[in-house]
Amino acid sequence: MRRVVLAVVMALVGLVVVQPGSAEAAAGPSSVRRVGTEDFADPGFAHLGSKYYLFRTGAGYGTRWTTSGGWSAIHKSMAAIPAWVDHSKPLLWAPEVFQSSDSRGALYVMYFTGESASRHVHCIGVATSRHPAGNYTPGSKPVVCSPWVSRGYEAIDPAAYRAKDGKRYLIYKSDYRNAYGFQIRAVQMDTQTGTRVVGKSIAKIVSSTRIEGPSVIAHGGKVWLFASRGDYINCSYNTDVWSASTFWGGRFTRVKTLMTTKSTRLCGPGGATVINVGKTTRIAFHAYVDANHNGVKDSSKRQTYTGVLKWDGSGRPYLA
């Protein structure tokens, strides 16, 4: 039993303190630690069973998980390009993974983004697996596209949220390039597995500036929505926070900016996933390689970082 407890403690320490081959901390908030040195953008972050998992943008949706020594090497979690995706444009990005169940037991569900071969626009797909690390098997068609797909507008960056009443939602970004701006939208999914759309799609946040990469959690009697703002290709990218009394019927209002290049000393901190594990709120996000923090970056590489969010006396989150 002592060995098991020790292994679990070491795995949790590896999440925010020790990384394989590196224990490098950012010069900003003290809880922030880099996970490896590889390109690992848009990290989907999940706590499944006794381990933490990170899934990255890119073919095969590379994944890492915590081990007794830190983080594992990167492994593929989806072997095949989904049939509905344009195989001449096979880039897949922004995976989100969560656990549900069906008649056979535990089911691990991945929401992901790909370009539809028939619609020539980005849509959201669903893949499932019996093991959290994979191999995830995608469905034969996308599950969500933009309400304005006929006009060429995209649906990207999916996130999952399960409300207190047990209802499941898929949250995503859609651009609608007119007076309504960019939108964070949500659609109700089936309560059992979260793999089928069962309700209408509605807008939760509308912004005149780019907003994307939503992640939603509940804390302190409120629902919190984290999303990236600004231009993802440079250091102006940042992460903002909104809150509402309830998810579906509530109205989200902007609370604060959570992370910027200045506050983290990392170039363009965004693409974040936020999760609650017990009484601890954790975050994973990416930032460009930028040693001088002066707006110059290596545009070919975004590395992943993990950290801890805490809550101030007013009940607002901050990166510890």
Side-chain angles (χ1 to χ4, degrees), residues 204-245:
K204 301 305 298 178
I205 297 177
V206 178
S207 173
S208 59
T209 59
R210 185 193 300 273
I211 179 173
E212 58 193 19
S215 183
V216 179
I217 63 167
H219 180 86
K222 294 183 179 180
V223 179
W224 300 85
L225 191 153
F226 302 78
S228 301
R229 297 286 293 276
D231 193 338
Y232 75 94
I233 65 171
N234 60 48
C235 294
S236 70
Y237 211 42
N238 60 72
T239 300
D240 280 8
V241 186
W242 288 256
S243 71
S245 57

Side-chain angles (χ1 to χ4, degrees), residues 176-284:
Y176 188 37
R177 303 181 187 94
N178 62 14
Y180 296 105
F182 299 90
Q183 297 190 358
I184 299 297
R185 299 186 65 84
V187 62
Q188 187 176 344
M189 307 297 285
D190 72 285
T191 300
Q192 181 68 34
T193 65
T195 60
R196 296 180 293 104
V197 173
V198 297
K200 63 182 181 179
S201 170
I202 64 171
K204 301 305 298 178
I205 297 177
V206 178
S207 173
S208 59
T209 59
R210 185 193 300 273
I211 179 173
E212 58 193 19
S215 183
V216 179
I217 63 167
H219 180 86
K222 294 183 179 180
V223 179
W224 300 85
L225 191 153
F226 302 78
S228 301
R229 297 286 293 276
D231 193 338
Y232 75 94
I233 65 171
N234 60 48
C235 294
S236 70
Y237 211 42
N238 60 72
T239 300
D240 280 8
V241 186
W242 288 256
S243 71
S245 57
T246 61
F247 179 72
W248 190 253
R251 179 179 180 182
F252 280 91
T253 57
R254 185 181 175 278
V255 175
K256 62 180 290 187
T257 297
L258 180 72
M259 299 188 297
T260 65
T261 295
K262 183 177 181 180
S263 69
T264 62
R265 301 191 68 182
L266 296 168
C267 175
T273 303
V274 180
I275 60 175
N276 286 324
V277 182
K279 295 182 178 180
T280 303
T281 303
R282 300 186 184 274
I283 186 171

Side-chain angles (χ1 to χ4, degrees), residues 140-155:
S140 60
K141 59 183 179 180
V143 68
V144 171
C145 292
S146 168
W148 308 284
V149 65
S150 62
R151 303 181 187 182
Y153 299 151
E154 64 187 5

Side-chain angles (χ1 to χ4, degrees), residues 84-105:
W84 59 268
V85 170
D86 185 342
H87 286 212
S88 69
K89 301 174 182 178
L91 177 63
L92 305 173
W93 76 87
E96 168 91 345
V97 174
F98 62 94
Q99 182 177 344
S100 64
S101 64
D102 61 11
S103 60
R104 295 174 54 193

